[in-house]
Amino acid sequence: DIVMTQSPDSLAVSLGERATVNCKSSQSVLYRSNNKNYLAWYQQKPGQSPKLLIYWASTRESGVSDRFSGSGSGTDFTLTISSLQAEDVAVYYCQQYYGTPWTFGQGTKVEIK
Amino acid sequence: QITLKESGPTLVKPTQTLTLTCTFSGFSLSSNGEGVGWIRQPPGKALEWLALIFWDDDKRYSPSLKSRLTITKDTSKNQVVLTMTNMDPVDTATYYCTHSAWITPPKASDIWGQGTMVTVSS
């Protein structure tokens, strides 16, 4: 299995400031055939189902705020919230879908400082 | 618009078999590339990927649970069924079904059901 490790486990950021979540995979999730990283980011607010934010490591899902951006390649990835808003308080998960089982990181809780 | 909804028992006893049904709309599981997956989340814990079935009946399972899981589809009813045998209290979790199509672009799990909470207790 590909192991996904997120850091930090939690972070507190002031409103309007940048929040950065990191995700590292135990092996590359880059498909050479199309040069795409099979890495997704999800947001889960309390009491809700997870919501897809980013796929292919950096492509924002339709309807997702442009405050959210994804970057990275190979084994190291980052989710950035450019200007944290109150509605962004949630747990964020990365997931690789390069190969089954499609494994998740342990989650990063983002709160307001 | 794609929607998915999970149904099944809220309480099962240890050693029993859990059967969950995902009823979906907005796509056909007979169409090329389409897929439905199952993911669970114990209370206060992280997401755990369980299984996935594709339009061509290709089935994938979590290796750690493979011996206990079976995923099937009923295309005519727009349903996917997950069975998990020999339930244990550690299997207490919210179980989600998801739309997980392998089409361009593949998005892993782009649509999620509301989830169904299953408690394992005697």
Side-chain angles (χ1 to χ4, degrees):
Chain A
D1 300 5
I2 299 175
V3 177
M4 308 300 291
T5 304
Q6 293 181 227
S7 62
D9 289 335
S10 64
L11 74 159
V13 175
S14 300
L15 287 172
E17 295 300 304
R18 179 185 299 253
T20 301
V21 180
N22 300 301
C23 175
K24 188 175 184 67
S25 58
S26 61
Q27 66 185 73
S28 175
V29 298
L30 174 65
Y31 262 117
R32 297 291 181 187
S33 60
N34 60 3
N35 201 37
K36 295 293 187 183
N37 289 280
Y38 283 61
L39 188 285
W41 288 97
Y42 300 88
Q43 174 194 64
Q44 187 176 32
K45 296 182 179 180
Q48 296 185 15
S49 303
K51 171 188 174 184
L52 177 68
L53 296 177
I54 303 280
Y55 61 93
W56 269 347
S58 61
T59 303
R60 203 177 299 116
E61 174 68 325
S62 176
V64 171
S65 170
D66 59 5
R67 295 196 308 277
F68 294 92
S69 62
S71 63
S73 184
T75 62
D76 292 281
F77 302 91
T78 300
L79 173 71
T80 301
I81 309 172
S82 60
S83 174
L84 191 73
Q85 304 300 304
E87 62 264 32
D88 301 333
V89 168
V91 178
Y92 293 85
Y93 294 94
C94 63
Q95 180 199 32
Q96 65 79 21
Y97 54 111
Y98 177 88
T100 55
W102 291 355
T103 43
F104 291 92
Q106 79 277 18
T108 294
K109 187 174 185 178
V110 175
E111 300 173 304
I112 304 295
K113 185 187 291 183
Chain B
Q1 177 193 4
I2 291 174
T3 64
L4 308 102
K5 187 172 184 179
E6 308 86 350
S7 59
T10 57
L11 179 66
V12 298
K13 290 180 168 47
T15 75
Q16 286 186 337
T17 294
L18 171 68
T19 299
L20 295 174
T21 301
C22 176
T23 303
F24 57 86
S25 63
F27 68 100
S28 172
L29 202 40
S30 60
S31 297
N32 190 38
E34 293 290 0
V36 171
W38 286 93
I39 292 163
R40 72 178 178 179
Q41 185 174 39
K45 296 189 177 181
L47 301 165
E48 180 182 16
W49 186 89
L50 299 177
L52 179 57
I53 188 165
F54 288 109
W55 82 104
D56 59 359
D57 213 37
D58 182 11
K59 302 171 185 178
R60 306 295 177 94
Y61 295 101
S62 168
S64 63
L65 293 167
K66 186 174 183 178
S67 64
R68 299 172 55 205
L69 293 174
T70 303
I71 190 169
T72 59
K73 62 182 174 70
D74 186 330
T75 306
S76 65
K77 293 183 179 179
N78 280 353
Q79 290 181 334
V80 169
V81 174
L82 181 76
T83 62
M84 180 179 292
T85 62
N86 194 25
M87 293 292 284
D88 182 272
V90 300
D91 297 313
T92 294
T94 297
Y95 288 75
Y96 296 99
C97 70
T98 70
H99 176 250
S100 298
W102 200 254
I103 54 178
T104 299
K107 300 181 181 181
S109 300
D110 60 346
I111 307 293
W112 295 59
Q114 65 187 26
T116 186
M117 177 67 193
V118 178
T119 300
V120 184
S121 175
S122 54

